[in-house]
Amino acid sequence: EVCAGGGGMKIISRGQAPDLNPIRFECMHCKTVFEATRQEATFVPDQRDGNFWQIACPVCARLVTKDAK
């Protein structure tokens, strides 16, 4: 597959942009497992305990977090 910009660049194996890869969450309150994109979740920087993602559970609305590693 040749890139849109032309030239000699050739894609050998097409990946997916990191911001499109879903993040899997599990609510500890209602046990719902769901996926969300990085646009839907909120990135929370935390120097002490480590960065994490945060989003409201779609079933019970409690905040669910996931380590950003």
Side-chain angles (χ1 to χ4, degrees):
E1 179 178 348
V2 177
C3 291
M9 191 179 298
K10 180 178 173 184
I11 298 172
I12 306 302
S13 176
R14 180 174 288 278
Q16 190 174 24
D19 55 335
L20 298 178
N21 291 334
I23 304 166
R24 183 170 288 210
F25 294 90
E26 181 178 355
C27 179
M28 294 295 127
H29 179 70
C30 70
K31 306 300 183 203
T32 297
V33 177
F34 62 98
E35 290 184 340
T37 65
R38 285 166 168 75
Q39 288 82 17
E40 295 170 312
T42 302
F43 181 76
V44 181
D46 187 336
Q47 288 184 336
R48 189 181 66 184
D49 295 326
N51 302 336
F52 61 94
W53 293 97
Q54 179 175 284
I55 193 167
C57 175
V59 174
C60 70
R62 299 233 179 155
L63 285 179
V64 181
T65 61
K66 171 81 175 201
D67 190 0
K69 292 179 186 172

